[in-house]
Amino acid sequence: AMAAPHSSVSIGNDANFVSMNSAAYTIQYAGMLFFEFCIGAYYPAMGTVKGTIVPEDQRAAIYNVFRFPMNGLVLVSLVWNLPYGLSFFILAMLMMVASIVGLRATT
């Protein structure tokens, strides 16, 4: 059950590396679209996994704790107005760390 979320994160990370290393806006845009496609596959898969793990009565509180750092990262990237290449690089590094932590947690 955990293979789909991890593979989606890894493939999305590849799209970020392609986007990060290209100066062409078309390639960056295509990489962003592919990344969004991977996110579209990730969230339903993780929703299914989390639904079986997180207790129903604590679900809202636990999910909000995890949403706070994510929204903080989005806010920081918008306020600092980072260049696209740097934004893709930071996102790729964060996704790589998440993939490693996720794979270590399942083994």
Side-chain angles (χ1 to χ4, degrees):
M2 292 297 287
H6 290 303
S7 61
S8 178
V9 170
S10 297
I11 293 169
N13 202 21
D14 294 341
N16 276 332
F17 276 119
V18 169
S19 300
M20 175 184 66
N21 292 320
S22 176
Y25 288 122
T26 305
I27 301 296
Q28 290 179 351
Y29 182 66
M32 188 262 319
L33 287 178
F34 190 70
F35 171 74
E36 290 296 327
F37 174 78
C38 292
I39 294 300
Y42 171 80
Y43 275 106
M46 280 308 296
T48 303
V49 171
K50 290 189 299 187
T52 61
I53 295 173
V54 180
E56 179 84 30
D57 58 333
Q58 299 173 350
R59 194 168 292 168
I62 292 172
Y63 288 0
N64 285 331
V65 167
F66 285 103
R67 283 188 186 121
F68 182 75
M70 180 180 66
N71 291 334
L73 289 171
V74 170
L75 180 66
V76 166
S77 69
L78 291 173
V79 169
W80 286 354
N81 196 21
L82 299 173
Y84 294 129
L86 182 58
S87 294
F88 282 127
F89 176 75
I90 292 170
L91 184 58
M93 291 298 110
L94 289 172
M95 288 178 64
M96 186 182 309
V97 169
S99 295
I100 291 168
V101 170
L103 288 173
R104 289 182 144 211
T106 59
T107 58

